Amino acid sequence: MLGTYLIPLAPFLLIGINSVLCLFFFLCLEHEMRIMKLRWKRRHSVQESATHELKGQLAGLSARVLDTEERTGVLVPPVPPKSGLNLNKRSQVIRMSRRGDQAAKIASSLSLPQREVELLLKVYSRVVYSSKEVNS
């Protein structure tokens, strides 16, 4: 008799048990999703506060850089002075020296610093002197 009632009711009992299990898993999944959302919100708020702090520090550093630039003026390195002696000027210095002109006159006529002209004449005289000793 029990078999006569259970066999026709068995599919309905299995569907009911299956529905209860599905409802249980759905509620567990919903609970896990809430926990994950809370964790995400906490992490997000920590990251937001860290980002806000970093933005404040960056703004402070930018202000300090601007202040330093204003105090020091333009931060462009000065243009290096161009070399005064190219090959043409060197040969002119030596030619004028051979004619008997003084270093000051050579420097003023060629728009060169006097010390550069004097240095060039000293080097030239040593080279000429040493070459004469080698040839002799």
Side-chain angles (χ1 to χ4, degrees):
M1 180 149 149
L2 189 60
T4 57
Y5 292 115
L6 271 178
I7 293 178
L9 292 177
F12 298 109
L13 287 173
L14 287 175
I15 291 174
I17 291 172
N18 199 8
S19 298
V20 169
L21 285 174
C22 285
L23 182 64
F24 173 74
F25 286 127
F26 176 75
L27 292 175
C28 286
L29 181 63
E30 187 177 341
H31 179 69
E32 289 294 322
M33 286 176 55
R34 284 184 192 157
I35 291 172
M36 293 301 286
K37 282 183 182 179
L38 286 174
R39 287 181 186 167
W40 184 81
K41 284 182 182 179
R42 285 186 202 137
R43 287 182 185 166
H44 186 69
S45 66
V46 167
Q47 288 177 351
E48 283 292 321
S49 64
T51 302
H52 183 68
E53 182 180 337
L54 288 174
K55 284 182 180 179
Q57 289 177 355
L58 184 61
L61 289 174
S62 295
R64 287 176 57 189
V65 166
L66 287 175
D67 184 44
T68 304
E69 285 178 352
E70 287 175 1
R71 279 189 277 143
T72 59
V74 180
L75 293 178
V76 178
V79 178
K82 66 178 187 174
S83 176
L85 289 174
N86 57 24
L87 289 176
N88 290 334
K89 290 194 178 186
R90 286 182 192 173
S91 60
Q92 287 176 343
V93 168
I94 294 170
R95 223 178 290 132
M96 292 175 80
S97 173
R98 285 182 185 161
R99 279 191 262 152
D101 293 338
Q102 297 296 320
K105 184 179 178 188
I106 296 171
S108 66
S109 65
L110 295 178
S111 302
L112 294 172
Q114 184 174 350
R115 292 191 183 257
E116 285 187 31
V117 172
E118 291 171 353
L119 178 64
L120 179 63
L121 292 175
K122 282 182 184 179
V123 170
Y124 178 71
S125 66
R126 296 241 175 151
V127 169
V128 169
Y129 181 71
S130 66
S131 67
K132 285 182 181 178
E133 285 182 354
V134 172
N135 291 334
S136 298

